[in-house]
Amino acid sequence: MGDGLVAPQQRVTELLRRWSAGDEGAFEEAVSLVYEDLRRIARRKMAAERRGHTLQPTALVNEAIARVMKWDGYTLADRAHFIRAVCLAMRRVLVDYARKRAQAVQAEVSLAEGEVEIPGESGASVVSAAALSQALDHLAAEDPKASEVATLRLFAELTLEEIAEVTGGTVSTVHRKWVYSKAFLRKELSS
């Protein structure tokens, strides 16, 4: 990690601590420091959604941030924790959006590049965002770290290296959790 990232990370951590102590303005400032990273994640996620999706990346980020702000008693430790929390909220927003529209948002996924392929007659299948979210919840009950890695990989489309940086883990640990997650999700979604 370069020295250029340390100061902004420490600044976000400081602002999140102030927000936890009741300084509402500190949260807004923290958001401004990570907003472009969140929009980049949302753009990548929305690019994988169906054509004509009416939810835009900016709206997805804003709704996710609004949800995080409402989590009573939830403390955000640092920049990485904040980004993980917003990614989780984005996942929930997309699932809720799909349910509200009474459409199953379809996500084609392949094991080769970090997405989830469900074995079927054609060798690949399509799963709904709701089914994938439920499978991730089951994974979280078994192994919260593996679920976090899978959520960041599938919903934020982060690389294993980016996930290691965000979670503070090593690439090899993230890789092991990702391999486990794929196997778990394949089994969960094929049953």
Side-chain angles (χ1 to χ4, degrees):
M1 188 181 329
D3 290 338
L5 293 177
V6 175
Q9 289 178 357
Q10 289 175 341
R11 179 72 179 142
V12 171
T13 299
E14 172 192 325
L15 290 166
L16 292 171
R17 285 184 186 137
R18 285 182 25 208
W19 175 62
S20 293
D23 181 352
E24 294 300 321
F27 186 81
E28 290 176 25
E29 192 176 339
V31 167
S32 72
L33 292 173
V34 298
Y35 195 77
E36 284 309 311
D37 291 333
L38 297 172
R39 278 182 35 91
R40 178 183 48 82
I41 291 167
R43 276 193 303 273
R44 284 196 291 189
K45 182 59 196 153
M46 295 308 298
E49 294 295 325
R50 65 176 168 76
R51 286 195 125 161
H53 201 294
T54 57
L55 188 62
Q56 296 299 311
T58 299
L60 176 59
V61 170
N62 292 341
E63 175 64 25
I65 289 169
R67 288 185 182 203
V68 169
M69 285 181 70
K70 293 177 186 175
W71 292 350
D72 288 334
Y74 193 78
T75 302
L76 298 166
D78 55 26
R79 180 183 183 279
H81 189 208
F82 181 48
I83 290 174
R84 288 192 312 260
V86 174
C87 287
L88 177 62
M90 279 190 220
R91 173 181 140 202
R92 297 291 183 196
V93 168
L94 287 171
V95 170
D96 291 348
Y97 187 85
R99 285 182 180 147
K100 224 186 284 182
R101 297 288 181 261
Q103 300 171 336
V105 174
Q106 301 297 307
E108 277 191 45
V109 290
S110 78
L111 280 176
E113 283 308 312
E115 298 170 38
V116 182
E117 174 183 287
I118 308 308
E121 280 126 47
S122 66
S125 69
V126 175
V127 297
S128 73
L132 182 56
S133 183
Q134 184 176 25
L136 285 166
D137 288 343
H138 292 162
L139 176 59
E142 288 280 322
D143 187 335
K145 284 290 189 190
S147 178
E148 178 181 33
V149 167
T151 296
L152 291 171
R153 184 69 187 109
L154 296 169
F155 283 86
E157 297 181 11
L158 298 180
T159 65
L160 297 180
E161 291 79 13
E162 290 170 325
I163 294 169
E165 182 179 335
V166 167
T167 61
T170 65
V171 174
S172 61
T173 299
V174 168
H175 181 263
R176 280 192 306 277
K177 292 295 182 181
W178 177 233
V179 168
Y180 173 73
S181 298
K182 289 186 294 187
F184 184 95
L185 293 170
R186 183 185 308 123
K187 180 180 177 200
E188 186 79 15
L189 291 167
S190 65
S191 57

